[in-house]
Amino acid sequence: MRTGTRAVVLSLAAAFALTTTSNAQSFVQEDLLLVGGAPFNTSVTDNVDFGDVDLDGDWDVAMADGGDSGNDQNRIWINQGGLQLGLVGTFLDDTANRFPLTNDDSRDVEFADMDNDDDLDLYVANTAQIVNQGARFWINQGGAQGGTPGYFMDETASRWVGLGQAGSSIAPQMLMPNPVTPETFIDWSCDADFGDLDADGDLDLVHSSYGGAFGGQVPTRLFLNDGDGFYTEFNPSAHQLLGSNILDGDPGLWCEGTQFHETLATDGSRCDIAASPEDIDVGDIDGDLDLEILHGAIHEDPRVFGNLLEETGALGFRDVTHLVFHPANFPDGHAPGNGHYEQEMADFDQDNDLDILGVNWLISLFAFDDVVLENVGGTFANPFALPASNSDDQEGDVIDYDNDGDLDIIISNFSGANRLYRNDTAGAGLVFADVTEELPVVPGTISMDIDVSDFDNDGDYDFLEANDVNKPNRFYTNITQIPDTHAARVDKVEAVAGGAATTGTDMVRAQVYDNAPYYFKYFNHTVIEVEVDGVALPDLKMRSSGGQIFRGELPANLVGDVTYRVSSTDPYGNTGTSSDSAYSKTGDTGTLSGTPSDGPGGEPTLASLTAPFAGEALHLVAGNATPGALGFYLFSVAGTTGGVDLGGGFQLNVAAPLVVPPLLGDADAAGHMTLSVSEVPAGLAGFSLHAQALFADGAGGNPWSSTRALSLSFP
């Protein structure tokens, strides 16, 4: 995501840089993977992003085209495996069918499930460097939209909420096409990132702006998701700018204190939310499970904004730049000079925190050096300068190219050849070796972005290079054929407090690390595994919050001794699981009455593992059955006059005293048969539910054993 006019500065040393010896080339260039080729691949591409847009199990790719060179059509290439019934790892440009057909100056595209309907939507960051324009929302028409996954519509006008109105910092004259019916706002953006900033279960938006002519005077803005993919600006200051720029002395909009360009303050009195970022990232830097913001800058210092959610109980941010960047590493505690083009956060030393790769972060008169910084208790120290990195670089990404379980680095070079670094860290201190000779030599490109994926689904990690000046973007296939066998590491699982059962949910967040980029890990199948009094309940899905954080919810009306853990399974079936966490809750679990019929193990039992609340989860467990015995439940509802739908196929026709729902199946190895309803209908409030369970394993000539009746009253 580079300006087209910036001069390239080369170090003389770079021309003679030597690399370490490696065994063999690990990648080959694959130009023929794109079916059709030009004219679908001869633009100015500033950014690419991988995602499974059609939910068929392979990786598709979107392109941000145009950049500072002029308006152009963004493109989508569809992987021809899966639903396409072709060869996985080959791509067809299907832009004309799947994307809104519009030309703009795009600098970034970001896949994210904005509306929580389990498909990927697309955010397009545009720049008004040439023509006035702003960012746009392209919504996947599967899921909540009821259409076919993988086809996108421009819903920008409806997805922004309250632009230029009370509480918005955006001046009315910045709205377009006009303040009365705005679709978007005029801006200059190179990058956006999505993350659950307020920990409410949806993806909020961090929208960065570098300002006109990369002036660094337009603020980065935060927008909160309402849960359905509609975005309202987070501006607790309620201050509205007079134009595009934020001035020194203005309130910090979403950050504590007043705006002051390149402030050194860390006490909340001042902040700097306006710079010239090419990149912006979110992640849990300090280990408290909320998301911080790492704010890039070309001409200023990269900055860090600490999230105050855990400290204060309310969303807020403080500029902590000069606390987080260790003074021993940088003069005045920050990255000096200008030209800091990009950064990535990843756990390079596998100690379960986020380190930083800073592209062009160490700068001298004739050279730009890339550096990796180690996270030491929420501050960054022990810099390792990547060897032979003193040329003008553009982007970096992480790639476990040799599948040894740690994260290597690949660099896209604006002024020469791309480079590859092998992670040789062992013990204290980060160490990387230059193994660029494992990449094929492809001269004549100006690389703008590199994104890592396994686009041929063979278990090793490939990459795509995005190029400037109408050069084709290029696929590079990993030929090591070493499959990923490394499980995720799950750390810092959120504790749940015991006490009385209530309505609602108990939030559980966890850090998940893996040997893949964060956007690849986004697709890990991550769940909460939960047991109550030793009985396993259905797994509960967790969603990516951005960075390394996943978030899920436990029913707050569970009653008994609760044990839970988080597991994360990557696309190759490698599963990592956290240690167990536990708590206990008390509450009403109903009353038993009537006479049971014994089975081989005596009286069958029936219990509720949840306190009864309409609108909340219901978990029942019948036990003491012969393992494998066929079983089912009987229900009636006192006082109702019509049917009640419990969901999951359990429809109660309460005109009859007892109703047999569909057979539940066999008792498990422990003799348990569980019934789980994710949400009891609100219509049961004020009524009582009566339940009984039967097993086909009766004793004394009786073909059935049966529990006593359990009565649950829903307040």
Side-chain angles (χ1 to χ4, degrees):
M1 294 174 290
R2 172 77 60 142
T3 67
T5 59
R6 185 175 181 276
V8 177
V9 180
L10 292 175
S11 166
L12 293 178
F16 302 100
L18 299 177
T19 58
T20 58
T21 301
S22 180
N23 292 328
Q25 188 169 294
S26 295
F27 295 88
V28 296
Q29 181 190 336
E30 298 277 13
D31 284 342
L32 297 180
L33 294 185
L34 177 61
V35 180
F40 312 114
N41 190 22
T42 54
S43 181
V44 173
T45 301
D46 263 35
N47 180 261
V48 300
D49 202 10
F50 280 98
D52 183 6
V53 301
D54 50 4
L55 304 179
D56 66 347
D58 54 32
W59 293 86
D60 312 299
V61 61
M63 313 279 176
D65 283 355
D68 286 338
S69 299
N71 290 333
D72 200 356
Q73 171 69 53
N74 297 326
R75 312 209 72 87
I76 186 164
W77 296 352
I78 299 298
N79 199 317
Q80 294 302 288
L83 292 173
Q84 280 60 240
L85 303 177
L87 180 63
V88 65
T90 61
F91 294 82
L92 177 70
D93 186 307
D94 203 16
T95 302
N97 294 317
R98 294 175 183 263
F99 264 7
L101 298 181
T102 181
N103 289 345
D104 48 23
D105 292 1
S106 295
R107 302 297 303 268
D108 183 39
V109 285
E110 292 285 336
F111 282 125
D113 182 9
M114 302 172 197
D115 50 4
N116 272 359
D117 64 350
D118 295 323
D119 58 27
L120 290 175
D121 311 299
L122 194 68
Y123 187 75
V124 181
N126 292 320
T127 176
Q129 196 74 14
I130 299 175
V131 179
N132 283 344
Q133 55 190 294
R136 309 200 72 84
F137 293 98
W138 291 0
I139 303 301
N140 196 322
Q141 295 302 292
Q145 283 62 49
T148 303
Y151 292 80
F152 294 81
M153 289 189 64
D154 190 324
E155 298 184 10
T156 304
S158 65
R159 295 289 166 172
W160 292 123
V161 178
L163 294 183
Q165 299 178 16
S168 171
S169 71
I170 300 169
Q173 64 265 35
M174 300 304 294
L175 302 178
M176 60 177 298
N178 58 70
V180 178
T181 58
E183 288 188 359
T184 186
F185 60 98
I186 300 169
D187 197 63
W188 302 261
S189 184
C190 271
D191 192 35
D193 207 356
F194 285 85
D196 189 0
L197 302 177
D198 51 6
D200 65 349
D202 52 42
L203 293 176
D204 308 306
L205 170 63
V206 183
H207 172 90
S208 71
S209 180
Y210 57 82
F214 283 76
Q217 297 173 309
V218 177
T220 286
R221 290 181 168 96
L222 309 186
F223 296 88
L224 299 184
N225 192 332
D226 71 345
D228 293 319
F230 298 89
Y231 287 84
T232 303
E233 185 177 357
F234 175 63
N235 177 22
S237 76
H239 178 70
Q240 189 172 65
L241 304 184
L242 298 177
S244 63
N245 294 351
I246 189 170
L247 306 177
D248 282 358
D250 282 348
L253 304 185
W254 48 269
C255 191
E256 283 186 332
T258 57
Q259 169 69 20
F260 191 85
H261 194 57
E262 297 204 78
T263 180
L264 303 179
T266 60
D267 61 357
S269 61
R270 289 178 172 179
C271 62
D272 185 5
I273 64 170
S276 51
E278 285 258 342
D279 188 50
I280 201 158
D281 303 273
V282 298
D284 178 15
I285 292 174
D286 55 9
D288 64 355
L289 299 174
D290 59 23
L291 296 176
E292 278 70 53
I293 298 173
L294 175 59
H295 194 291
I298 301 173
H299 302 306
E300 304 86 4
D301 304 332
R303 306 197 76 83
V304 173
F305 298 94
N307 194 332
L308 303 177
L309 183 64
E310 292 305 301
E311 289 84 350
T312 67
L315 182 63
F317 291 88
R318 177 176 294 176
D319 190 331
V320 294
T321 302
H322 294 273
L323 289 177
V324 169
F325 291 123
H326 200 286
N329 301 326
F330 302 108
D332 301 322
H334 59 93
N338 56 42
H340 321 102
Y341 267 89
E342 206 254 350
Q343 63 277 331
E344 293 291 335
M345 290 194 290
D347 184 11
F348 292 109
D349 50 6
Q350 300 189 71
D351 63 350
N352 294 346
D353 56 28
L354 290 178
D355 311 303
I356 293 178
L357 163 65
V359 178
N360 288 4
W361 271 33
L362 292 178
I363 300 169
S364 61
L365 182 60
F366 296 109
F368 303 87
D369 282 308
D370 305 331
V371 64
V372 186
L373 296 170
E374 183 181 359
N375 190 326
V376 182
T379 65
F380 295 98
N382 306 325
F384 181 90
L386 295 180
S389 67
N390 51 355
S391 60
D392 194 5
D393 294 328
Q394 175 65 31
E395 296 273 351
D397 207 353
V398 299
I399 178 171
D400 185 9
Y401 81 97
D402 50 5
N403 270 321
D404 62 353
D406 58 23
L407 292 172
D408 311 302
I409 293 171
I410 190 163
I411 298 290
S412 70
N413 191 288
F414 187 68
S415 57
N418 301 325
R419 296 190 311 281
L420 180 66
Y421 294 95
R422 186 184 63 232
N423 191 337
D424 286 345
T425 301
L430 296 166
V431 179
F432 290 84
D434 185 357
V435 291
T436 300
E437 72 273 14
E438 301 204 24
L439 299 177
V441 177
V442 184
T445 62
I446 298 177
S447 180
M448 303 293 285
D449 188 24
I450 277 181
D451 255 35
V452 171
S453 177
D454 178 15
F455 44 74
D456 51 7
N457 279 2
D458 65 350
D460 56 27
Y461 294 102
D462 318 298
F463 69 90
L464 175 65
E465 171 194 80
N467 288 311
D468 200 1
V469 294
N470 305 110
K471 296 292 185 180
N473 303 325
R474 291 189 167 108
F475 291 100
Y476 293 85
T477 300
N478 191 324
I479 59 174
T480 64
Q481 298 299 293
I482 304 172
D484 183 355
T485 58
H486 300 278
R489 306 186 312 279
V490 184
D491 191 45
K492 290 187 172 68
V493 177
E494 188 162 18
V496 174
T502 63
T503 58
T505 58
D506 290 316
M507 179 171 63
V508 174
R509 292 168 294 177
Q511 295 180 346
V512 179
Y513 300 92
D514 210 344
N515 60 322
Y518 73 92
Y519 52 85
F520 198 95
K521 182 180 60 189
Y522 177 98
F523 295 96
N524 279 17
H525 178 67
T526 304
V527 298
I528 306 172
E529 300 174 354
V530 58
E531 300 170 2
V532 181
D533 292 338
V535 177
L537 301 183
D539 293 343
L540 298 168
K541 179 181 177 180
M542 303 184 78
R543 291 182 179 272
S544 172
S545 294
Q548 81 277 45
I549 302 300
F550 279 75
R551 180 190 183 279
E553 296 175 340
L554 287 167
N557 66 332
L558 294 177
V559 176
D561 294 327
V562 182
T563 302
Y564 65 99
R565 65 199 68 86
V566 172
S567 72
S568 186
T569 303
D570 69 19
Y572 311 111
N574 304 308
T575 300
T577 305
S578 72
S579 58
D580 285 353
S581 300
Y583 63 96
S584 296
K585 283 197 174 183
T586 59
D588 175 26
T589 54
T591 58
L592 291 168
S593 62
T595 302
S597 298
D598 288 353
E603 176 186 340
T605 60
L606 177 60
S608 175
L609 304 178
T610 48
F613 295 108
E616 305 296 334
L618 172 68
H619 294 287
L620 303 181
V621 56
N624 291 353
T626 302
L630 182 68
F632 58 90
Y633 282 86
L634 302 172
F635 292 98
S636 68
V637 179
T640 60
T641 57
V644 177
D645 185 5
L646 284 179
F650 300 105
Q651 176 72 39
L652 306 186
N653 177 6
V654 296
L658 293 176
V659 179
V660 180
L663 296 178
L664 293 180
D666 300 335
D668 63 21
H672 293 141
M673 181 180 64
T674 57
L675 182 145
S676 294
V677 177
S678 60
E679 185 176 322
V680 170
L684 272 185
F687 299 104
S688 295
L689 174 69
H690 307 290
Q692 188 179 26
L694 284 80
F695 294 100
D697 70 343
N702 186 347
W704 297 98
S705 64
S706 63
T707 69
R708 288 184 284 172
L710 176 67
S711 299
L712 298 167
S713 297
F714 290 82

